């Protein structure tokens, strides 16, 4: 009884404090209170629901049978839209707050919403080494499904909640991308419902123009209903080597050198200042030294980027064996390093041991509850951007990030970019090595102004023939956008498939200059 009185008194004091400060002030300046008390428990319930659903689908083997029926329902919705006169653009009916992108999709309110409830693994073909999935299958769900069977996919983008559909219609990358390319380059076929309601399969040999045009199109060519992705044999551990490097030139040389080595299964860099970094290389293995196993994904473990920083502070190299699934989702618990701005004490050992099992809060719930004040605050004083630049421009790019943003850590992830048709390819006729520079956090530049600073960054990225990931805020004009991206195949297909009345152009869907 005394415990209940204590809890009740605590809640009463909390409510009085919130009333005194004002709810908006608490949500902006003490967001951790709301996150810890409400969003973390809700996130747990969210996960439990989807895990139980996935288990039930697997036990009943119902996914393939229901898939065809669900696709027919999508086709019926599109045909009904057409019969009504095609008066509005179409978009998926998935609420904007459920996406991992921080951008608020206002178009959902004015477009015709097509309900697409496709979130199951359909088939694992071990002979072809291909897994067929629906678009709302998440990375956490897919690795949990495949790993016990001895399989994984070549590129497992970091965060658990990233979906196959988002990674195809947008893009995805991981520290294995220096071998396999972006997520789209590991896909062998897509199935789409087009603007006329027809169902089409495309691959490099079947409707190839559509196959190459779909990535980065953000759902403006059709509705993705299934994808086939390559699989590779899974191994138990990743043997990872940490090497601190000082001096920007040495960092770039070391990172480039390791990225060119195909014997490295994984290559990643964390830049903690302009001239301090830790370069990590990893190889898949089934054998491990027991004394060097680090189950970094356990809830009580330090956040990965903080763990890596120790090697820099202590100026020493190190070797560890991380269980493969823990490695694939190593940045998930701290949402890279974004969670330190939301829960400042989140990496404290006491918090990790008591509440770490509830972390991280769902990004979708953070979006749903952020409110207009926090959204504007983040927009003006917070950066979440991934810029993809040629490896030969790495040093110049880091210097530009430092001058225009001054955000650390920076994430460095190499990838090979083949010369395929589509919106994103190298300037020349050959495959080229690129690097993703990820900036997530509060800029320390004194005169930072979101629009002006990001337009300066976008101008630089265009000048080195780089690309901006489209999940983030984009400030380019239409002409600048199509200078960065190759729209020749995309526009040709929109004309051929009568998409202009069915879907907005990708620029109008994602760029701030078009949305405001």
């Amino acid at each position: 009884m005394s415990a209940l009185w204590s809890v009740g008194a605590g809640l009463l004091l909390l409510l009085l404090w919130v009333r005194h400060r004002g709810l908006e002030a608490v949500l902006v300046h003490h967001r951790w209170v709301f996150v810890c008390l409400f969003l973390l428990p809700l996130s747990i319930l969210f996960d439990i629901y989807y895990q139980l659903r996935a288990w039930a689908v697997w036990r009943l083997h119902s996914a393939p049978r229901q898939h065809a029926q669900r696709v027919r329902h999508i086709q019926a919705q599109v045909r009904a839209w057409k019969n009504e006169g095609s008066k509005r653009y179409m978009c998926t009916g998935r609420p904007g707050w459920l996406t991992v992108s921080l951008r608020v999709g206002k178009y959902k309110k004015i477009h015709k919403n097509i309900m697409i409830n496709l979130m199951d693994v359909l088939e694992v073909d071990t002979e072809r080494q291909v897994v067929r999935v629906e678009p709302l299958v998440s990375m956490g769900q897919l690795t949990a499904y495949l790993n016990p069977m001895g399989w994984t996919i070549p590129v497992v983008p970091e965060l658990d909640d990233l979906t196959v559909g988002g990674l195809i219609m947008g893009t995805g990358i991981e520290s294995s991308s220096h071998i396999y390319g972006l997520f789209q380059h590991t896909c062998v076929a897509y199935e789409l419902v087009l603007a006329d309601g027809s169902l089409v399969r495309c691959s490099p040999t079947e409707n190839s123009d559509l196959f190459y045009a779909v990535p980065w199109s953000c759902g403006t060519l059709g509705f993705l209903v299934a994808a086939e992705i390559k699989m590779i044999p899974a191994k138990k551990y990743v043997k990872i080597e940490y090497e601190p490097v000082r001096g920007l030139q040495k960092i770039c040389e070391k990172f480039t050198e390791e990225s060119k080595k195909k014997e490295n299964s994984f290559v990643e860099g964390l830049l903690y200042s302009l001239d301090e970094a830790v370069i990590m290389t990893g190889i898949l293995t089934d054998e491990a030294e027991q004394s060097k196993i680090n189950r970094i994904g356990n809830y009580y473990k330090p956040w990965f980027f903080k763990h890596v920083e120790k090697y820099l502070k202590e100026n020493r190299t190190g070797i560890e064996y991380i269980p493969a699934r823990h490695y694939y989702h190593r940045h998930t618990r701290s949402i890279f390093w974004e969670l330190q701005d939301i829960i400042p004490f989140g990496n404290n050992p006491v918090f990790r041991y008591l509440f770490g099992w509830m972390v991280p809060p769902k990004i979708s719930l953070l979006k749903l509850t952020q409110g207009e004040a926090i959204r504007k605050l983040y927009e003006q004083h917070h950066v979440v951007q991934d810029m993809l630049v040629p490896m030969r421009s790495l040093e110049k790019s880091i210097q530009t990030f430092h001058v225009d943003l001054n955000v650390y850590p920076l994430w460095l992830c190499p990838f090979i970019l083949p010369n395929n048709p589509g919106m994103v390819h190298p300037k020349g006729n050959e495959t080229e090595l690129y690097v993703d520079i990820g900036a997530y956090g509060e800029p320390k530049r004194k005169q930072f102004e979101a629009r002006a600073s990001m337009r300066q960054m976008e101008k630089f990225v265009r000048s080195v023939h780089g690309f901006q990931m489209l999940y983030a805020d984009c400030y380019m004009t239409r002409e600048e956008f199509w200078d960065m991206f190759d729209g020749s195949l995309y526009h040709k297909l929109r004309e051929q498939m009568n998409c202009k009345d069915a879907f907005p152009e990708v620029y109008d869907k994602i760029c701030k200059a078009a949305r405001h």
Side-chain angles (χ1 to χ4, degrees), residues 419-456:
N419 187 34
N420 292 337
M423 286 176 60
V424 172
H425 55 75
K427 190 172 185 179
N429 296 320
E430 296 181 359
T431 294
E432 187 172 350
L433 188 62
Y434 271 62
V435 56
D436 174 8
I437 304 177
Y440 324 118
E442 184 178 348
K444 299 299 188 290
R445 183 192 172 195
K446 290 182 180 178
Q447 285 80 35
F448 177 80
E449 195 280 317
R451 185 179 184 277
S453 297
M454 286 316 307
R455 279 190 54 75
Q456 190 69 21

Side-chain angles (χ1 to χ4, degrees), residues 107 135 158 260 283 301 340 342-343 362 475 479 506:
Y107 61 88
E158 254 306 321
K260 290 179 178 177
I283 58 171
K301 288 284 189 173
Q340 67 181 350
I342 300 171
I343 307 178
K362 288 286 182 186
Y475 294 86
E479 292 72 26
V506 62

Side-chain angles (χ1 to χ4, degrees), residues 169 171 194 214-215 221 225 282 301 330 335 400 504-505:
M169 291 296 184
T171 194
L194 302 183
V214 163
L221 293 174
V225 295
K301 288 284 189 173
R330 64 199 177 281
I335 317 178
T400 302
E505 186 183 298

Side-chain angles (χ1 to χ4, degrees), residues 246-460:
R246 287 179 166 81
L248 182 56
Q249 185 177 346
K250 289 183 178 179
I251 290 169
C252 294
E253 288 174 353
K254 178 65 175 176
F255 187 75
T256 303
E257 175 190 339
E258 296 297 341
S259 299
K260 290 179 178 177
K261 294 179 181 177
K262 300 302 182 187
E263 59 266 30
N264 288 328
S265 304
F266 307 97
V267 179
E268 176 183 23
L270 293 184
L271 198 70
Y272 289 92
S273 72
L274 183 60
D275 58 0
E276 293 181 311
V278 178
I279 308 299
M280 290 160 278
T281 57
I283 58 171
L284 286 162
T285 178
D286 283 322
E287 306 297 328
E289 298 178 45
Q290 292 300 310
S291 62
K292 293 184 178 180
I293 294 176
N294 183 1
R295 303 184 190 281
I296 195 70
N298 287 349
Y299 69 88
Y300 51 83
K301 288 284 189 173
W303 290 345
F304 184 70
F305 79 98
K306 287 294 187 183
H307 171 68
V308 173
E309 191 177 20
K310 286 197 307 183
Y311 292 96
L312 184 65
K313 290 181 175 178
E314 297 170 8
N315 196 30
R316 65 181 178 89
T317 60
I319 292 176
E320 290 183 328
Y321 294 83
I322 299 178
R325 191 157 187 269
H326 288 224
Y327 177 82
Y328 288 137
H329 303 287
R330 64 199 177 281
H331 291 296
T332 292
R333 287 190 302 123
S334 56
I335 317 178
F336 281 86
W337 31 93
E338 288 278 66
L339 199 56
Q340 67 181 350
D341 292 333
I342 300 171
I343 307 178
F345 46 84
N347 194 47
N348 182 284
V350 176
F351 181 87
R352 293 200 314 264
Y353 275 89
L354 292 178
F355 304 107
W357 58 276
M358 302 173 78
V359 167
K362 288 286 182 186
I363 295 175
S364 53
L365 294 179
L366 287 171
K367 282 178 63 178
L368 180 64
T369 58
Q370 67 181 359
E372 191 65 17
I374 294 178
R375 188 189 68 77
K376 288 181 177 178
L377 186 72
Y378 264 63
E379 188 174 291
Q380 291 302 321
H381 304 287
H382 199 88
V383 166
V384 180
Q385 292 282 349
D386 284 84
M387 299 294 188
L388 315 181
V389 298
M391 187 67 80
R392 53 186 160 78
S393 303
L394 177 58
E395 185 172 349
K396 187 178 179 182
S397 300
I398 291 173
Q399 290 170 337
T400 302
F401 268 73
H402 180 77
V403 171
D404 290 344
L405 302 178
N406 195 8
V407 171
Y408 293 99
L410 289 177
W411 189 52
L412 304 180
C413 184
F415 69 99
I416 202 75
L417 185 61
N419 187 34
N420 292 337
M423 286 176 60
V424 172
H425 55 75
K427 190 172 185 179
N429 296 320
E430 296 181 359
T431 294
E432 187 172 350
L433 188 62
Y434 271 62
V435 56
D436 174 8
I437 304 177
Y440 324 118
E442 184 178 348
K444 299 299 188 290
R445 183 192 172 195
K446 290 182 180 178
Q447 285 80 35
F448 177 80
E449 195 280 317
R451 185 179 184 277
S453 297
M454 286 316 307
R455 279 190 54 75
Q456 190 69 21
M457 285 294 306
E458 291 165 349
K459 181 180 179 181
F460 168 78

Side-chain angles (χ1 to χ4, degrees), residues 462-480:
R462 290 196 305 274
S463 74
V464 297
H465 198 72
F467 308 94
Q468 180 181 22
M469 281 199 185
L470 300 183
Y471 74 87
D473 284 334
C474 172
Y475 294 86
M476 289 182 281
T477 65
R478 193 179 304 273
E479 292 72 26
E480 290 166 344

Side-chain angles (χ1 to χ4, degrees), residues 1-179:
M1 183 64 72
S2 58
L4 287 175
W5 278 109
S6 298
V7 171
L11 286 173
L12 179 61
L13 288 171
L14 175 63
L15 290 171
L16 289 172
W17 177 67
V18 169
R19 184 179 179 184
H20 171 70
R21 294 297 304 272
L23 181 59
E24 185 173 286
V26 170
L27 289 177
V28 171
H29 301 292
H30 305 280
R31 199 178 185 195
W32 62 267
V33 175
F34 183 73
V35 169
C36 291
L37 290 179
F38 298 102
L39 293 196
L40 289 181
L42 280 175
S43 297
I44 293 294
L45 294 175
F46 210 86
D47 279 336
I48 290 172
Y49 166 74
Y50 279 103
Q51 287 171 8
L52 287 174
R53 186 192 179 284
W55 177 82
V57 168
W58 175 73
R59 292 290 296 177
L60 296 172
H61 304 288
S62 61
R65 293 196 304 273
Q66 292 182 355
H67 175 74
Q69 179 182 341
R70 289 172 179 161
V71 170
R72 285 194 295 271
H73 177 60
I74 294 165
Q75 291 177 281
Q77 293 178 76
V78 173
R79 287 171 183 145
W81 163 84
K82 194 173 180 181
N83 292 335
E84 291 166 4
S86 311
K87 296 175 183 177
R88 295 181 289 165
Y89 288 138
M90 291 183 289
C91 67
T92 65
R94 190 186 189 206
W97 59 269
L98 272 174
T99 64
V100 173
S101 168
L102 296 179
R103 186 173 55 248
V104 178
K106 295 180 180 178
Y107 61 88
K108 297 274 187 182
K109 296 178 181 178
I110 58 173
H111 292 178
K112 171 69 174 178
N113 282 213
I114 304 298
M115 301 310 297
I116 299 178
N117 184 30
L118 300 172
M119 56 183 71
D120 297 318
V121 179
L122 298 174
E123 180 185 3
V124 176
D125 188 333
T126 55
E127 288 188 12
R128 293 174 58 218
Q129 295 193 14
V130 165
V131 57
R132 182 167 172 255
V133 300
E134 293 179 330
L136 295 181
V137 168
S138 70
M139 290 299 98
Q141 177 186 353
L142 188 54
T143 54
Y145 191 95
L146 291 179
N147 288 171
M149 300 180 185
W151 295 97
T152 187
I153 55 175
V155 175
V156 185
E158 254 306 321
L159 303 178
D160 281 13
D161 292 341
L162 292 170
T163 63
V164 168
L167 294 167
I168 291 170
M169 291 296 184
T171 194
I173 192 170
E174 184 43 281
S175 53
S176 57
S177 289
H178 67 296
I179 299 173

